[in-house]
Each structure stands twice: as C-alpha cells, then as structure tokens.
Amino acid sequence: MANRFPNILQNKFSSAKASISGAQLLSTTVKRSRNLRVPRRMVLGIGVSFWAQFMNMSASNSIIASARTKGSSAQQILENVEWPEQFPFKDEDFQRFDESSDLLFYESPRFVTHIDDPAIAALTKYYNEAFPPSNTPGVALLDMCSSWVSHFPAGYKQERIAGMGLNEEELKANKVLTEYVVQDLNTNPKLPFEDNSFDVITNVVSVDYLTKPIQVFKEMHRVLKPGGKAIMSFSNRCFWTKAISIWTSTGDADHVMIVGAYFHYAGGFEPPQAVDISPNPGRSDPMYIVHSRKLATA
C-alpha cells in the first residue's frame, strides 16, 4: 500500500480540537507522537504555516494519507510514498529564530562532538559498511557541513576526501580531509566542484540548518558520479536558533520525511531510503539516516 505524504502530520491532528492555538497545537502534537521519540529540544511555534498547509491539503484530496501506522519503523516511512506534484513547503518553513550570519555564528571553533559516543559509534559502523573500501583508486568523498571530525572509520583513507564547512580552524584539524573549502551554503549553495566528482557525499547532523535545501541537493546531484551515494545523518540535537522552523517544530519521524522530500524534489535520485541506527533507544542519542543514489543514467 502506498504511503501518501505525509500521514505523520495528519495523524497528529486527528485528536486536536479546533480551538487550540497554533503554538499550543504544535506542543500538543509533539507530545502525542508515539512512533518515534520526541526530540529533546525546545518546540517553537514558528512552523505553524507547515501544519496549517497540510491540514488544508488533507481536507482537499488524496495527497495525504497513511505514510506509516502506529509502531512503524523509520525504514517504512519512505516506502512507496505518493509525493505531491509540487514541493510542499513554503519559504517561511526555512526561516530561523536567528537569521544572523552563519559565518559569524561559527566564527569561533567548537572542538566538541554534537552527538554522544554511542551515536557516533553507530554512525561510524554504518559508514564502514556503506563506504567503498579504503584506498580504492579513483574514489572520492565529500563531507559537507564538516568540522574537526567526520566520524569516518579509523584509518579510512582515499586519494581525495574533500570537506566543506564554516570554520577553517576546525577543517584544518580534520585529519581525514585531503582538502577543504570554507563556504556558507545558506548564502551560496553552489558547490565549488566539477560535475561527476564524488562517489559518496556525507552530511552529519547538519541537514537541519539548510535554508536552501533543494538548491543544495541539486548541487549534490550534479557533483556526484552516476550511481554515487548521498548519506544524510541526523539526530534530535541541534543549535535550535539556527535550525529551520520546519525542523524545530516537528519530530524525528517527520524529519525522515522532510529529508526524503529533499531528495525527491531535487530530482535525479533513486527513491530515498531511511534507516534507524539508534544504538540504545531511550538511553542515548537517536540516530537516523536518509540516503539515496544518483540515478546511473542521470
């Protein structure tokens, strides 16, 4: 049975009274989420347009139906989704509480990790299984939104591992990188690389900061080699003032659908897939991956 985008949101509204205000509704719906854990973040009433939009859409036609049922796994959320014809998000969904320069925000290096050790270990294990073997001739990787550590397997090497980030000191300290670029993707989403350059693109807990995600994902498609893989990983941790409103006002299951939508509407990718690699549910940071490959004929 096909999943229609995005039932996750529709189900949350089913028990809400019409008299509840937008901010109250957002708080209530997040608390009522049962399928995946509630994010440990502040819930802001700044994503109301998103919810209102899908309430209207669900009442109009068959765009929205079940994307998953109670108890479904993250893997099932992106199975056989019936995507709307047009990109379903509005400009205000990508606004942030803090719209100041990201380069200014990241001006000082942060030599810390943004997920806990079990989540890091789970991500590294996934990379070990998903990456091409170390030292494979001709293989190139791009770590987007990179920092002082990429969480790649110990000793992993390729002739080319490029990094992009916002702080040069952090990028200089990243021993896995063979080159790096300092660039704010929210002001300039154009990737400074040739077409068909990379076999793998990674992005660790930073997809939630992208204010121009479709442009960025189109660029990812351009620089990936045919058949190349893009791996977006995320948790429920973030600098909430810098994360987009659609992210801070939704939960883990919704985030899977949102990132899947980026792949779909960018075009030229295989149907995105999701996997929950959370190492200790309820006891450590959750960890989710949404991934896809560039179509071999694209």
Side-chain angles (χ1 to χ4, degrees):
M1 179 177 180
N3 290 337
R4 290 177 181 173
F5 178 83
N7 125 36
I8 302 167
L9 313 173
Q10 183 186 29
N11 286 347
K12 289 180 179 179
F13 285 110
S14 61
S15 60
K17 294 181 180 180
S19 60
I20 298 177
S21 68
Q24 290 173 320
L25 183 54
L26 290 171
S27 178
T28 300
T29 55
V30 171
K31 290 178 181 177
R32 288 179 178 173
S33 178
R34 293 288 187 270
N35 297 325
L36 292 173
R37 289 180 301 282
V38 175
R40 293 179 294 172
R41 67 166 93 251
M42 180 178 293
V43 179
L44 303 177
I46 54 179
V48 175
S49 66
F50 172 80
W51 297 102
Q53 180 183 5
F54 283 111
M55 285 183 73
N56 292 334
M57 290 172 66
S58 66
S60 61
N61 51 39
S62 61
I63 291 177
I64 299 176
S66 287
R68 61 187 177 100
T69 58
K70 186 176 180 180
S72 297
S73 66
Q75 287 89 328
Q76 292 174 293
I77 295 173
L78 293 176
E79 291 180 356
N80 304 313
V81 178
E82 292 185 2
W83 301 99
E85 183 176 348
Q86 301 296 323
F87 187 57
F89 305 113
K90 296 182 179 181
D91 290 344
E92 51 262 41
D93 294 322
F94 301 99
Q95 293 176 349
R96 302 170 297 170
F97 188 83
D98 179 4
E99 293 287 5
S100 65
S101 168
D102 291 336
L103 288 171
L104 180 62
F105 183 82
Y106 291 97
E107 184 176 18
S108 298
R110 294 178 174 89
F111 293 106
V112 298
T113 53
H114 301 289
I115 48 178
D116 63 20
D117 290 343
I120 291 172
L123 178 61
T124 300
K125 180 181 178 181
Y126 177 86
Y127 281 165
N128 190 55
E129 298 168 352
F131 281 3
S134 188
N135 292 308
T136 300
V139 165
L141 280 73
L142 170 61
D143 188 27
M144 294 178 60
C145 305
S146 189
S147 64
W148 68 282
V149 62
S150 295
H151 307 309
F152 287 7
Y156 189 82
K157 294 182 180 180
Q158 295 295 355
E159 183 177 344
R160 186 184 190 190
I161 301 180
M164 295 187 69
L166 288 167
N167 185 279
E168 186 168 11
E169 289 185 54
E170 291 185 18
L171 294 170
K172 280 182 179 179
N174 191 326
K175 302 303 182 184
V176 75
L177 302 181
T178 62
E179 62 186 84
Y180 66 82
V181 177
V182 177
Q183 182 172 320
D184 182 356
L185 292 173
N186 288 337
T187 59
N188 178 18
K190 177 75 172 179
L191 301 183
F193 306 108
E194 298 294 324
D195 296 358
N196 307 316
S197 293
F198 298 101
D199 298 271
V200 177
I201 294 176
T202 58
N203 183 321
V204 181
V205 296
S206 294
V207 68
D208 46 328
Y209 302 121
L210 297 177
T211 61
K212 299 179 175 69
I214 297 303
Q215 293 94 316
V216 171
F217 275 61
K218 284 180 179 291
E219 280 293 289
M220 287 164 47
H221 174 269
R222 180 182 64 81
V223 302
L224 275 172
K225 298 176 183 178
K229 186 173 186 177
I231 302 170
M232 306 290 107
S233 60
F234 51 90
S235 184
N236 61 6
R237 306 272 298 272
C238 71
F239 296 116
W240 65 266
T241 61
K242 281 296 184 181
I244 57 174
S245 68
I246 193 64
W247 198 273
T248 59
S249 57
T250 54
D252 293 349
D254 307 306
H255 298 160
V256 169
M257 185 69 82
I258 290 166
V259 179
Y262 294 167
F263 278 114
H264 176 79
Y265 291 101
F269 287 100
E270 294 179 356
Q273 300 178 49
V275 58
D276 181 352
I277 62 169
S278 303
N280 303 300
R283 290 178 290 145
S284 63
D285 290 340
M287 203 67 201
Y288 306 100
I289 288 173
V290 176
H291 61 92
S292 183
R293 290 187 181 276
K294 178 176 178 176
L295 291 172
T297 56

